[in-house]
Amino acid sequence: MVGGGPLAPLYDEECSVWVPAWEMKWGALVHALGDSPNYEATDAIVATAARRGKRLRGHTLIWHEHLPAGAERLSTRADWERFVAPHVGSVAGRYRDAIFEWDVVNEAIEPNDNGADLMRRSPFYAMLGPDYVSEAFRLAAQAAPAARLYLNDDHVYYAEDWQELRRTGVLRLLERLIAAGVPIHGFGMQCHLDTRRRFDERVFGRFVKQLEGFGLTLAITELDVTEAPDAGNRSVDERRRRAAEEVRKVLAVALDSPALAGVVTWGLSDADSWLRHRSPEMVTNQGLPFDDTYRPTPMRDMLASLFASTRTRHPT
Ligand code: G3I
């Protein structure tokens, strides 16, 4: 998340890496298919990050949401060559020296689309089939040879069956990409956590070990916690402690992996969290390291202690 306004001091003091939550997405750069990209906002973000000494994470080159108008109808290889390949090359190339790692493809897995490969039937899939993923990575590597390239996805932490299916989809896709020699460096776990879910450290630990087995770097890329729906009549303080505990449970496993390279929260303050806009019951959600008045919550202290303990175990 890139910080301006009242949050600027926090983004300076609390973060070494920034990520634009939406500004680098295709639909934010290109209003309608065929329009030229408008890089004004992203150039400003890149300049600010450089001025403030922050590394910048790119999010995201290929995603089925936030598309230019008309992109939802793309369906042929010719469409890919005409619109998608130039988009990837243009964005990744423009920021080849400014972005140290990219979410090249975001949320490629969707078992509810009933594909044998458990992949999402997005317009990108319609254009090239499952090979759109490897093609996107190859284009990104060509345009930004120094950037580390990630596959990014969510809902792979909890013991529910539907998340097991997603983990299977992720592992199958990674296996294919690596077997094909695709230039992929990491897997990003968004970590939009939820206190209603059932966590089993053995299940998530096994998945992290399987990811490690691919030799990939791991990253937590969009950490926040949904806690409002089962907050009941708990006090705000209790709800914040519960959210911090949800982070501890999951991150204690992830941070135990020597492959885990970094943790990025999806925003710093609940005041500007996307979660607050999800539903009426979410307007008071307590899911980030700083509250509505930018004061630290227990989650901020929890993250600090998790990082401190990790540094002693993985000093590199
Ligand atoms: O405020 C701007 C306005 O100035 C601008 O003119 C207008 C033009 O589109 O957009 C407004 O910004 C909105 C932005 O959020 C800031 O609130 C965008 O409309 C809106 O599309 C954008 O939504 C973002 C969404 O992705 C789609 O890009 C959310 O902030 C962001 O939290 C969400 O993030 C996604 C990750 O990329 C992938 N994982 C799930 C996560 C949550 O959905």
Side-chain angles (χ1 to χ4, degrees):
M1 308 296 285
V2 179
L7 278 167
L10 280 185
Y11 280 105
D12 271 333
E13 292 146 25
E14 297 291 323
C15 308
S16 59
V17 169
W18 286 353
V19 58
W22 57 279
E23 295 89 345
M24 288 198 168
K25 292 166 180 170
W26 195 10
L29 296 167
V30 175
H31 180 64
L33 269 189
D35 291 355
S36 303
N38 178 343
Y39 289 115
E40 202 178 324
T42 45
D43 284 353
I45 288 170
V46 166
T48 305
R51 203 170 45 252
R52 308 241 296 263
K54 304 300 177 184
R55 291 202 296 168
L56 206 53
R57 190 165 206 284
H59 176 81
T60 176
L61 294 172
I62 300 282
W63 187 36
H64 62 285
E65 293 188 29
H66 209 156
L67 292 169
E72 67 286 348
R73 292 192 301 275
L74 297 175
S75 62
T76 66
R77 172 168 285 277
D79 289 339
W80 175 280
E81 298 304 339
R82 183 174 169 207
F83 295 108
V84 181
H87 157 62
V88 174
S90 167
V91 185
R94 187 182 187 87
Y95 300 123
R96 56 186 289 142
D97 301 323
I99 302 271
F100 80 101
E101 67 183 20
W102 271 106
D103 288 333
V104 175
V105 174
N106 189 43
E107 301 174 10
I109 300 301
E110 183 41 85
N112 295 330
D113 283 0
N114 301 316
D117 55 15
L118 300 172
M119 288 179 71
R120 185 183 304 277
R121 288 328 189 241
S122 67
F124 304 103
Y125 195 101
M127 286 182 259
L128 296 191
D131 291 346
Y132 84 88
V133 180
S134 46
E135 190 55 26
F137 274 86
R138 289 197 175 98
L139 288 168
Q142 208 172 354
R148 294 184 63 73
L149 306 178
Y150 276 67
L151 179 73
N152 195 48
D153 217 315
D154 198 17
H155 307 305
V156 288
Y157 336 101
Y158 293 110
E160 278 94 345
D161 290 348
W162 66 278
Q163 296 219 0
E164 186 59 26
L165 209 45
R166 298 181 64 84
R167 286 186 285 271
T168 302
V170 166
L171 293 170
R172 277 191 198 159
L173 176 54
L174 288 174
E175 210 160 18
R176 276 220 321 276
L177 294 174
I178 287 167
V182 168
I184 177 171
H185 306 103
F187 177 68
M189 296 179 280
Q190 294 180 12
C191 279
H192 292 297
L193 303 182
D194 189 321
T195 56
R196 292 168 293 181
R197 302 277 172 256
R198 186 163 55 86
F199 182 72
D200 179 331
E201 62 179 17
R202 294 162 303 177
V203 171
F204 183 47
R206 184 172 60 240
F207 178 61
V208 170
K209 280 272 178 268
Q210 288 170 301
L211 292 170
E212 276 178 24
F214 290 123
L216 294 173
T217 304
L218 306 180
I220 289 174
T221 55
E222 304 180 19
L223 179 65
D224 53 24
V225 177
T226 290
E227 57 75 41
D230 71 341
N233 55 9
R234 292 181 177 88
S235 70
V236 169
D237 284 349
E238 179 50 28
R239 289 170 56 179
R240 288 174 177 160
R241 278 193 295 276
R242 217 161 157 253
E245 174 55 17
E246 194 67 21
V247 166
R248 188 201 62 75
K249 282 188 307 189
V250 178
L251 264 64
V253 174
L255 288 169
D256 200 34
S257 167
L260 200 288
V263 176
V264 173
T265 60
W266 208 238
L268 283 181
S269 159
D270 288 314
D272 68 356
S273 172
W274 72 287
L275 291 171
R276 289 280 177 90
H277 307 287
R278 294 206 78 188
S279 68
E281 70 179 342
M282 288 291 284
V283 291
T284 64
N285 194 71
Q286 308 294 327
L288 281 170
F290 291 86
D291 67 17
D292 298 71
T293 58
Y294 313 129
R295 284 176 310 187
T297 65
M299 190 185 298
R300 193 264 173 214
D301 299 338
M302 177 62 72
L303 285 168
S305 66
L306 283 165
F307 296 160
S309 69
T310 304
R311 268 192 288 277
T312 50
R313 273 178 292 120
H314 307 300
T316 49

